[in-house]
Amino acid sequence: MSRIPHPTRAAAVAALVTAVALPLAGTATASAAVPAGVRSAQGAPNSTLAADAPTTWAEKNGGYVQINWTPPNNVGKYDWIGLYKRDPNAIGIDNYETWQWAYNHGTSYLTSVPAVSGDYWTAYISYDYASSQYRIIESHRSHID
């Protein structure tokens, strides 16, 4: 079973039964559920505009790793930020250490991951409704001393 976060299957079925059309990826008024059978994929969807691209980074905060992000103007309901020990584009979206929803959860998250000296990667991940997959929109390597 994938570690990628998603709503319950019952909510997904209910949303699919009542939905006429799914909203475009990144819309703040996204359906209440992600379709069942979510798949993950690498790379950004074609609809992402460079001027509206999110940014992510990691830093040390009181002995723990804090992940930070600047969201796009239109945060999708199922957008999330992941913390990785290696490049998520190389190891895959679901190989994160920890994660946090981006929608309605501020712009930083103090994790329980101890801040050991080294490199950390953060990634902004968005649900692409056109392909029914999560996609990495942006990733960044940060060094913590």
Side-chain angles (χ1 to χ4, degrees), residues 9-28:
R9 295 205 188 284
V13 171
L16 287 173
V17 169
T18 59
V20 174
L22 293 174
L24 296 173
T27 60

Side-chain angles (χ1 to χ4, degrees), residues 27-118:
T27 60
T29 58
S31 172
V34 173
V38 170
R39 296 173 293 151
S40 63
Q42 307 307 103
N46 295 332
S47 62
T48 302
L49 302 174
D52 190 32
T55 57
T56 63
W57 66 97
E59 64 187 5
K60 184 176 181 178
N61 183 345
Y64 295 95
V65 177
Q66 178 173 306
I67 52 178
N68 304 286
W69 63 95
T70 302
N73 291 330
N74 199 4
V75 178
K77 187 170 184 177
Y78 301 108
D79 290 5
W80 54 280
I81 292 77
L83 176 68
Y84 299 83
K85 290 201 176 183
R86 293 186 20 222
D87 183 355
N89 289 298
I91 64 171
I93 291 173
D94 61 349
N95 290 310
Y96 55 83
E97 296 300 311
T98 189
W99 65 277
Q100 176 60 272
W101 291 113
Y103 183 77
N104 227 9
H105 284 88
T107 57
S108 67
Y109 171 62
L110 183 59
T111 72
S112 60
V113 175
V116 177
S117 180

